[in-house]
Amino acid sequence: MADEHAQNPEVESEENGTDRRDFLKGGIALGAGIIGTAAVACAPEKEAPAAKAPAEAAAPVAAPAKKAEHAGPEIHVPPGKLDDYYGFWSGGQSGEIRIVGVPSMRELKRIPVFNRDAASGWGGDDFSKQLLGGKLSGDTHHVHLSYNDGTYDGRYVYVNDKAGARLARVRCDTMEVDMITDIPNSQGTHGIFPQRHKTGYVMCNAEFRTPQVNDGRDMDDPTKYGALHTAVDGETMEVKWQVMIEGNLDLCATDYKGKYSFATCYNSEGGVTLEEMMAAERDHLYVFNIAAIEAAVKAGKTMTIGDSDVPVVDARGEDGPYVIRVPVPKSPHGINIDPTGTYGICSGKLSPTCTVVELDKLDAVFAGEIKPRDAVVAEPEVGLGPLHTAFDGRGNAYTSIFIDSVVTKWNIDKAIQAYNDETIDPIIQKIDVHYQIGHINASMSETKDADGKWLVALCKFSKDRFLNVGPLHPENDQLIDITGDEMKLVHDGPTYPEPHDAVLVKREMIHPSKMMVRDGPRFEMYEKMAAEDGVDLMKDSKVIRKGPNKVRVYMVSVAPAFSQSSFRVKTGDEVQLVITNLDSVEDLSHGMCVSKHDVNFLVNPQDTKTMTFTAGPPGVYWYYCPWFCHALHLEMRGRMIVEA
Ligand code: K7E
Ligand code: CUA
């Protein structure tokens, strides 16, 4: 049996598919047992698709009439041809961002953000070390680009670090991080979303409630805990203001007009244990009124917390001018705004439903004319464990269903009709994904230009889909063609754990530079240093003793040589290497590696990099260019002579 499996994994899929696809349902039932009433929200008998035999569940729920086979767009991108979309993937625990070409699903680049990257030297060179402040890990979940007028402006990519409560920015010309901002008074910075009417705020949610101030007080009194919804200026990366709220803030979204931001809230109970967090049947979608908050900040109706001088608006407790709470079934997760900006769709997670909120009704809610729940216009049942929703620009929504391991395609208008007419079924199709899908996104889905071509399903488990590579399996990023009436799975993409979210951006919108762009905070740092030493970074080659134990070494490189074939320092010296790559040939990167000193960094064409280290015991240490750059690449080296 085992042999047979090894040789024919497809047979195994067929045979054991049921177990594999359904194993988490058992887990949930168990969890529900512990927490009592939670069973109601996800009782299998309440959820029709789950009760079906797997083969049946896999079939479209509303079987569409037989149609001519839909050909679909070409997924194969031949050698030498380019993809249509840049996919920006968060790297999860790897702390990075990845650029993936879509539809080929080829990984094109990794952008180190909160991690140490040996290839580029990120985390080791002086600039990144300063940005990271000594931290070398992070947990990136959500990647979003800067906007103008409802679509991407091609300038920045923002990404959160849940572990360190930070927000980083990548510039799209160099595809490097230029700024990182610490979010004050926060832990578990999770959902982020930039404003979409222009490059304004990037809103950041704190998922974990903590004592405010978190300095040892109130540790055993969770009623005094709070969480912050934070506005960071997307241009300057300064924290502008925060709103304090009583519940956990999970996913984040913004509208298309610049009026509102949103946060899903699980644990409105304010619990600190699983049982406490799941006690109530309802949680909330928080809606933040940005103009009202700005007015309060301007009028000084704010406080500060601890050492932070960021103005904080206290909006805990009742609905008011700053925030309203739309009741939704317990423990919601994703909040996604449809491309027309009309609806916010809140995915149920523990409830098999998506709650559709009509955004134009929110003004009336804030005015006290209608109740928050009156803004809900639909609540379709989509499957067990709905997490996130994407859009095709044709009125359809695609929700990732974690427990059922499917993507559910449903029609928003029909769901609204079905809210008052049970005979209408808004569900168009459910397609199996492999397995346990988390995020989902469609091409341009988070913009008004959603084009309904490709859907990416980021599956948390790959199980039998790839060769066994040991206990840690790859994730499985699947590509689905959504151009036709029916979704079609067209590609499995193994990825290193753990992409959470991805956005797909038309390639015309992104314009990376082939040479380093010599501006921004990194170059300000180098120019200041060079000015202090009277050095021209683009031509000078100098060894400058800066103190009894401090040496700065300026060098330039042109393939296949460094401008110095040797330099001298003393044991124990703090040595700072400043290397400029003068080559202006596309793709001609050099680097600097110093033998036995843990010094290794990349210097791209027209770039400068610096790294600081301590010179070791007396002796000769070869430094060399580690990037294959020339026929004489191996000769591109010199001696660091360390004297006693
Ligand atoms: Cu759903 Cu961190 Cu976006 Cu993961 S979160 S799935
Ligand atoms: Cu320069 Cu290898």
Side-chain angles (χ1 to χ4, degrees):
M1 192 68 177
D3 274 348
E4 206 180 308
H5 283 171
Q7 281 166 22
N8 194 346
E10 260 148 295
V11 168
E12 191 188 12
S13 302
E14 292 288 304
E15 282 176 0
N16 294 349
T18 318
D19 299 352
R20 216 171 284 108
R21 298 189 62 77
D22 292 350
F23 84 107
L24 268 165
K25 287 178 188 162
I28 278 286
L30 194 70
I34 300 169
I35 53 179
T37 54
V40 177
C42 39
E45 59 271 26
K46 195 173 168 230
E47 181 45 18
K52 285 181 190 167
E56 214 181 314
V61 164
K66 255 231 165 327
K67 286 194 187 78
E69 187 70 4
H70 168 71
E74 187 55 56
I75 167 203
H76 180 61
V77 181
K81 291 282 184 279
L82 305 180
D83 281 293
D84 293 330
Y85 297 87
Y86 284 92
F88 292 91
W89 257 240
S90 69
Q93 309 89 327
S94 70
E96 62 197 13
I97 291 177
R98 299 177 197 151
I99 305 179
V100 174
V102 176
S104 74
M105 300 293 273
R106 298 179 293 204
E107 182 182 295
L108 304 176
K109 183 175 186 143
R110 294 179 170 202
I111 304 173
V113 183
F114 300 109
N115 55 324
R116 173 77 167 95
D117 175 46
S120 61
W122 183 261
D125 75 90
D126 295 326
F127 176 74
S128 59
K129 223 171 167 172
Q130 183 185 305
L131 268 193
L132 293 169
K135 293 185 195 136
L136 292 176
S137 73
D139 184 16
T140 56
H141 281 233
H142 301 114
V143 198
H144 293 289
L145 279 73
S146 51
Y147 285 80
N148 189 38
D149 192 22
T151 196
Y152 298 128
D153 68 2
R155 295 193 301 146
Y156 300 118
V157 183
Y158 305 99
V159 68
N160 72 305
D161 168 25
K162 177 169 170 176
R166 291 176 290 178
L167 180 73
R169 183 175 78 180
V170 169
R171 20 192 301 188
C172 292
D173 53 355
T174 61
M175 291 298 178
E176 282 186 355
V177 173
D178 73 337
M179 288 192 191
I180 294 179
T181 296
D182 280 299
I183 311 294
N185 313 316
S186 294
Q187 283 178 30
T189 294
H190 187 219
I192 64 158
F193 216 103
Q195 288 191 294
R196 298 193 228 215
H197 63 304
K198 62 169 191 178
T199 305
Y201 301 128
V202 183
M203 305 309 306
C204 304
N205 280 346
E207 186 178 340
F208 302 144
R209 306 166 64 246
T210 52
Q212 302 291 350
V213 184
N214 195 14
D215 60 356
R217 72 186 73 172
D218 301 331
M219 293 192 288
D220 295 312
D221 185 1
T223 60
K224 297 227 175 91
Y225 292 9
L228 282 301
H229 183 64
T230 301
V232 177
D233 185 317
E235 300 282 2
T236 64
M237 292 293 280
E238 282 168 339
V239 180
K240 289 300 192 188
W241 45 257
Q242 302 187 289
V243 181
M244 175 139 56
I245 244 13
E246 64 283 353
N248 293 26
L249 301 172
D250 196 11
L251 271 293
C252 187
T254 59
D255 65 355
Y256 277 78
K257 295 177 179 164
K259 279 170 85 171
Y260 300 120
S261 59
F262 306 91
T264 49
C265 165
Y266 65 96
N267 190 24
S268 54
E269 300 86 341
V272 290
T273 63
L274 182 61
E275 290 85 342
E276 289 167 11
M277 291 190 217
M278 313 258 298
E281 278 310 312
R282 288 228 179 258
D283 280 307
H284 298 116
L285 174 68
Y286 284 104
V287 183
F288 297 90
N289 184 334
I290 291 180
I293 296 163
E294 282 177 329
V297 170
K298 211 168 170 194
K301 290 187 203 156
T302 55
M303 56 186 200
T304 58
I305 299 174
D307 297 338
S308 158
D309 55 11
V310 173
V312 177
V313 174
D314 190 347
R316 286 175 297 179
E318 300 295 301
D319 284 358
Y322 312 125
V323 61
I324 51 134
R325 296 155 182 82
V326 178
V328 295
K330 79 158 74 185
S331 292
H333 188 58
I335 167 71
N336 297 90
I337 310 302
D338 88 297
T340 67
T342 312
Y343 304 109
I345 293 174
C346 186
S347 304
K349 193 170 79 181
L350 292 193
S351 157
T353 54
C354 280
T355 304
V356 182
V357 175
E358 187 174 335
L359 305 187
D360 276 346
K361 294 196 167 171
L362 294 172
D363 284 351
V365 178
F366 273 104
E369 291 156 22
I370 57 172
K371 294 217 165 62
R373 184 69 197 174
D374 295 339
V376 172
V377 293
E379 208 152 60
E381 286 212 8
V382 291
L384 274 190
L387 292 187
H388 300 281
T389 300
F391 306 95
D392 61 9
R394 300 188 292 269
N396 301 311
Y398 300 77
T399 301
S400 59
I401 313 286
F402 178 79
I403 298 171
D404 284 342
S405 284
V406 299
V407 171
T408 299
K409 177 181 179 181
W410 53 281
N411 183 273
I412 301 171
D413 283 342
K414 277 201 173 162
I416 293 166
Q417 294 161 23
Y419 201 41
N420 299 309
D421 180 352
E422 281 181 5
T423 63
I424 294 172
D425 182 4
I427 308 296
I428 299 169
Q429 184 199 358
K430 293 187 181 185
I431 188 171
D432 284 344
V433 288
H434 313 81
Y435 304 91
Q436 267 68 47
I437 180 175
H439 268 277
I440 190 171
N441 231 327
S443 40
M444 299 297 291
S445 177
E446 298 285 9
T447 74
K448 66 176 185 186
D449 297 330
D451 61 10
K453 290 222 169 75
W454 300 109
L455 186 75
V456 166
L458 305 178
C459 299
K460 305 286 186 189
F461 295 66
S462 63
K463 299 178 202 173
D464 56 355
R465 300 291 281 194
F466 307 111
L467 285 177
N468 180 359
V469 289
L472 177 63
H473 289 35
E475 314 285 294
N476 188 10
D477 297 350
Q478 295 186 301
L479 186 70
I480 296 171
D481 167 9
I482 54 167
T483 54
D485 292 336
E486 279 188 47
M487 299 177 275
K488 270 192 190 165
L489 175 63
V490 295
H491 183 81
D492 268 17
T495 49
Y496 190 64
E498 173 183 333
H500 270 265
D501 197 4
V503 291
L504 311 184
V505 182
K506 272 190 199 147
R507 75 176 195 215
E508 304 80 57
M509 302 186 116
I510 307 288
H511 307 281
S513 169
K514 287 174 179 168
M515 298 296 129
M516 186 45 62
V517 183
R518 298 180 63 89
D519 61 26
R522 187 152 74 81
F523 284 90
E524 280 161 27
M525 174 178 153
Y526 302 151
E527 291 300 345
K528 198 174 152 220
M529 189 190 335
E532 179 188 302
D533 292 332
V535 160
D536 181 346
L537 289 172
M538 296 305 279
K539 66 173 205 284
D540 290 341
S541 190
K542 263 186 188 164
V543 180
I544 301 172
R545 186 151 282 279
K546 303 289 295 178
N549 300 101
K550 232 177 155 178
V551 182
R552 199 173 277 161
V553 180
Y554 289 94
M555 249 191 257
V556 294
S557 63
V558 176
F562 290 112
S563 60
Q564 300 189 45
S565 59
S566 70
F567 64 87
R568 279 169 196 272
V569 294
K570 291 200 187 73
T571 293
D573 272 348
E574 183 191 293
V575 182
Q576 187 178 28
L577 288 176
V578 186
I579 312 290
T580 299
N581 177 355
L582 294 183
D583 281 304
S584 51
V585 177
E586 179 175 357
D587 211 0
L588 211 167
S589 296
H590 298 293
M592 167 56 87
C593 183
V594 182
S595 300
K596 305 188 83 163
H597 280 76
D598 196 23
V599 168
N600 187 353
F601 57 96
L602 164 72
V603 194
N604 284 313
Q606 295 289 299
D607 198 358
T608 298
K609 276 289 181 60
T610 75
M611 195 183 268
T612 304
F613 62 97
T614 304
V620 168
Y621 300 91
W622 286 95
Y623 54 87
Y624 66 96
C625 168
W627 291 76
F628 210 108
C629 56
H630 191 276
L632 292 172
H633 153 75
L634 294 179
E635 286 79 356
M636 188 168 175
R637 58 193 169 115
R639 289 173 305 152
M640 176 172 79
I641 295 166
V642 180
E643 297 168 334

